[in-house]
Amino acid sequence: MRYLVLAAALLVPVAAPAATPTADWPCIQRLQPRLSLGQAWTGPTPAEGAAIPPETAALAERLVQRRMGLDEAEAEIAAFAATTDAAGLALLMQAVFRRIDTQRATIIQGISRYGHAQVALAEQVETRRRRMAELEAADPPDFDAIDAEERALDIDMRVFTERQHSLTYVCESPVILEQRLFALGRAIAAHLP
């Protein structure tokens, strides 16, 4: 009986994503699969079809790395800004944006798969719970089968619970990338003439 109550309690968090735009999105944050450059950049629009110079692309690659602190990133942006014009800064922002948006989209796809796995595991928990109820109602009860099902149910519920606890961290990953994008956008825009 305690498993019935616990299984029901565990299924509640899985139902919460129904309020979001898609049923396979398990996060509290609203799903926005892609960003647009205009959300993070108010500077000039990069010239259409303009190639990003290799040194600009290399700087963008370093800037998007989260292990680089924002102070260090701002110093590198300032050094770069001293050698370029507004068009060069726009290309840098475009390169930064493309990298972060691509990383973010990949993470969002992974979160969606994570959500699907949680829904499937919740369904498995529910199936095991029903099977336990059937085994307990049998006359005479098969105690070995009940014990085996109880162990399997316990493992599934423990995995489900641990994944639910990890979900908060997993869902923060796109937000962290967005925050870095906006911070880098402000740092680059600060050097516009």
Side-chain angles (χ1 to χ4, degrees):
M1 190 59 162
R2 67 184 173 134
Y3 287 106
L4 297 176
V5 174
L6 187 55
L10 290 175
L11 292 176
V12 172
V14 175
T20 60
T22 59
D24 63 345
W25 184 246
C27 300
I28 293 171
Q29 298 88 344
R30 187 172 165 264
L31 174 62
Q32 185 173 358
R34 300 305 289 229
L35 299 174
S36 70
L37 181 61
Q39 289 175 292
W41 178 247
T42 57
T45 305
E48 194 168 320
I52 297 175
E55 63 277 359
T56 303
L59 174 58
E61 188 61 41
R62 287 193 311 275
L63 293 175
V64 301
Q65 300 300 316
R66 290 190 289 183
R67 66 179 168 260
M68 176 185 276
L70 284 176
D71 291 341
E72 185 181 351
E74 289 171 358
E76 289 209 29
I77 291 167
F80 177 76
T83 66
T84 193
D85 58 5
L89 290 171
L91 286 175
L92 175 61
M93 184 59 198
Q94 183 178 40
V96 165
F97 173 79
R98 285 180 182 166
R99 281 166 177 75
I100 288 179
D101 192 48
T102 300
Q103 288 176 10
R104 186 180 168 280
T106 301
I107 289 170
I108 285 174
Q109 289 171 352
I111 291 171
S112 183
R113 287 190 303 272
Y114 191 99
H116 283 296
Q118 279 298 87
V119 169
L121 188 52
E123 290 170 359
Q124 183 173 319
V125 165
E126 181 61 23
T127 300
R128 287 196 188 282
R129 186 198 58 76
R130 281 194 303 272
R131 176 77 176 129
M132 279 265 310
E134 291 169 5
L135 290 170
E136 289 171 346
D139 188 28
D142 181 351
F143 292 109
D144 290 336
I146 291 172
D147 288 345
E149 196 64 34
E150 185 175 21
R151 281 191 299 274
L153 179 61
D154 188 42
I155 290 169
D156 286 348
M157 288 179 15
R158 190 169 41 246
V159 169
F160 181 88
T161 303
E162 288 172 5
R163 287 182 182 173
Q164 281 300 104
H165 291 305
S166 300
L167 191 59
T168 302
Y169 171 76
V170 170
C171 289
E172 285 298 317
S173 296
V175 174
I176 291 167
L177 285 173
E178 290 165 25
Q179 290 170 345
R180 184 154 186 98
L181 174 64
F182 290 117
L184 292 173
R186 281 190 304 273
I188 295 169
H191 296 282
L192 288 171

